[in-house]
Structures are given as structure tokens and as C-alpha cells.
Amino acid sequence: MTGFIVGSLILYFFYKTVYVLIPGIFCSILYCSWQKKELCRGRQYILEQQFKDWIQVTASCLRSGYSVENAFLKAGDELKLLYGNKTDIQTEVQNMKQQILNNVTLENILWDFAQRSGVEDIRNFADVFEVGKRTGGNLNEMIDNCCGIITMKAAVEQEIHTLLHGKSMEQKIMCLAPFAIISYIQVTSPLYFSPLYHNIAGICIMTGCLLLYLFSVGLSLHIIRIEV
């Protein structure tokens, strides 16, 4: 519904006709698709932060003498105190417990988790862990190194998010600025834009302006989305 309303209002600003309600339905479909991707990206970011804490506590448990499997499970239990029961990471911890009881290897569990999460750090950790298991490497040292790298990357990402928070607000304001300007001119000078509506030449010009506006919005969203 939000996508339909916003899309119809934007199109009405550019074309001044109620027929924009028809393509407004298509806008709602695009908005729902975009919103779904944004929600997915947000869940992945939260899961990435929770996984970082899971690996940190796991590394600490390994230094205390736990086996690798028990270290992961013990760390998962401690995360329950931090994040509660109803989180994605706790779902994965419970899934890991069940699969270990069913004699599924830890590297297969982590690989499956990595594929379902879609988080690059988890995929990289699962790949390194699998290679370490196969080659008989020092898993304690490997997990410590991975933990350090993931923690450093998370710190950089957090700093970037903090720096971009203000820019994100500026980007939203700039996206709304054209409509504020058009509304002001239409109120103060109602006939100023009238030659651009309800004729072929005006429709072509406004279509070009709309495409340029959409390109600018897309470019601004791309610029403020920095990945480490």
C-alpha cells in the first residue's frame, strides 16, 4: 500500500492526471520487492554482528579447554543472555545442537549455515574451518585469527555506518527537495508549469525529468551503501 501511494503521488507530480493510479500498482510491486531486499539486508547485518560475538566467545571457550563442538555450543548458550531466545543466531545454535546429536560434522553444519545466511563473513569462516579440519590444522589458532579479522572488519563497518548516518538523512532530504520546490512554485504561480501537462511535448519532458530523478535517487542510494 505504501508503494502504491508513494508511486502514485510521484507520478501525479510529474503528469497531473489520475491515470497514474494504474502504473501506481506497478510501483507498489517494485516497492515491495525493494523493501524485502532492504529487510533481508538488515537481518543479514544483525546476524553478522551476532556471529562475530559467537566466534569471539567460542575462541574464549577454546582457550579454556573446551572441544571445538562444545565451545560453539557453550558460546551459543552464553549469547542467549546477551540477545535472548528469539533471534536468528539462537535458531542456528539450536539447529547446531540437534545436528551434532545426529552425528552431523561441524564443518557441514557451518557450511549449511553459511549458505542459508548469505553473509560473506560466515561463508569465509565456514570455508576456512572446513580446510582446517581436513588438513589437521590448529583449529584454536585458526578460529582466533578469523575472530580477529571479523572483529576488525565489524569495527570498520560500524564506523562507516556511524559516519554515513548523517549523510543518509541528507540524502533523504535531497530526494524530497524537488517536490517541495515544485509544490511551492505551483502554489505561488499556478500557471508556471501548466505548459508541461496534458500535451505530448510536456509529457516527454516530464518523463525525461522523472527518469533523471529516479537515476539520481538510485545513484545516491548506491553511494551511501559502502561494503567492507
Side-chain angles (χ1 to χ4, degrees):
M1 190 63 183
T2 303
F4 174 74
I5 295 173
V6 173
S8 297
L9 286 175
I10 291 175
L11 291 173
Y12 185 78
F13 258 91
F14 280 89
Y15 297 106
K16 289 291 184 181
T17 175
V18 294
Y19 292 111
V20 299
L21 295 177
I22 298 175
I25 299 174
F26 179 68
C27 292
S28 66
I29 297 174
L30 293 178
Y31 177 81
C32 289
S33 177
W34 175 80
Q35 189 69 12
K36 183 178 179 180
K37 290 180 181 178
E38 288 298 307
L39 290 174
C40 181
R41 189 177 288 110
R43 287 187 65 183
Q44 286 178 331
Y45 176 76
I46 294 173
L47 182 61
E48 185 178 8
Q49 302 304 309
Q50 294 174 348
F51 179 75
K52 177 203 68 175
D53 293 335
W54 192 12
I55 296 302
Q56 285 180 328
V57 180
T58 298
S60 177
C61 291
L62 285 171
R63 288 191 291 268
S64 300
Y66 284 87
S67 66
V68 178
E69 288 79 5
N70 288 334
F72 271 97
L73 297 180
K74 176 65 176 177
D77 291 337
E78 293 190 16
L79 287 183
K80 189 184 300 183
L81 302 175
L82 181 61
Y83 295 116
N85 292 323
K86 298 180 180 180
T87 59
D88 290 335
I89 201 67
Q90 277 302 314
T91 300
E92 295 303 328
V93 171
Q94 297 306 317
N95 179 58
M96 179 177 286
K97 285 182 179 179
Q98 186 61 45
Q99 292 198 61
I100 287 177
L101 290 175
N102 293 332
N103 296 320
V104 180
T105 60
L106 186 56
E107 54 266 34
N108 286 338
I109 298 173
L110 288 172
W111 184 86
D112 178 63
F113 173 33
Q115 297 304 311
R116 288 184 290 103
S117 70
V119 178
E120 183 181 0
D121 283 347
I122 301 178
R123 285 199 300 265
N124 292 339
F125 179 82
D127 290 339
V128 173
F129 186 85
E130 183 178 9
V131 172
K133 269 279 194 178
R134 287 180 178 178
T135 59
N138 189 331
L139 292 179
N140 291 13
E141 183 179 352
M142 180 211 70
I143 292 176
D144 269 335
N145 291 337
C146 288
C147 178
I149 294 172
I150 293 174
T151 301
M152 186 183 302
K153 180 180 176 181
V156 173
E157 286 181 338
Q158 186 62 42
E159 185 176 352
I160 290 174
H161 277 284
T162 302
L163 292 174
L164 288 179
H165 180 71
K167 298 299 180 183
S168 178
M169 291 300 297
E170 292 177 10
Q171 182 265 342
K172 292 176 182 177
I173 293 173
M174 292 301 295
C175 288
L176 295 175
F179 301 102
I181 296 171
I182 293 174
S183 299
Y184 173 77
I185 295 175
Q186 287 180 342
V187 170
T188 56
S189 303
L191 299 178
Y192 188 82
F193 285 121
S194 58
L196 295 175
Y197 300 115
H198 310 300
N199 60 82
I200 300 299
I203 291 174
C204 291
I205 293 173
M206 295 305 283
T207 299
C209 293
L210 176 60
L211 293 175
L212 182 60
Y213 172 76
L214 294 177
F215 173 78
S216 301
V217 172
L219 182 61
S220 65
L221 290 173
H222 179 73
I223 290 174
I224 65 173
R225 185 175 292 127
I226 299 176
E227 298 183 359
V228 179

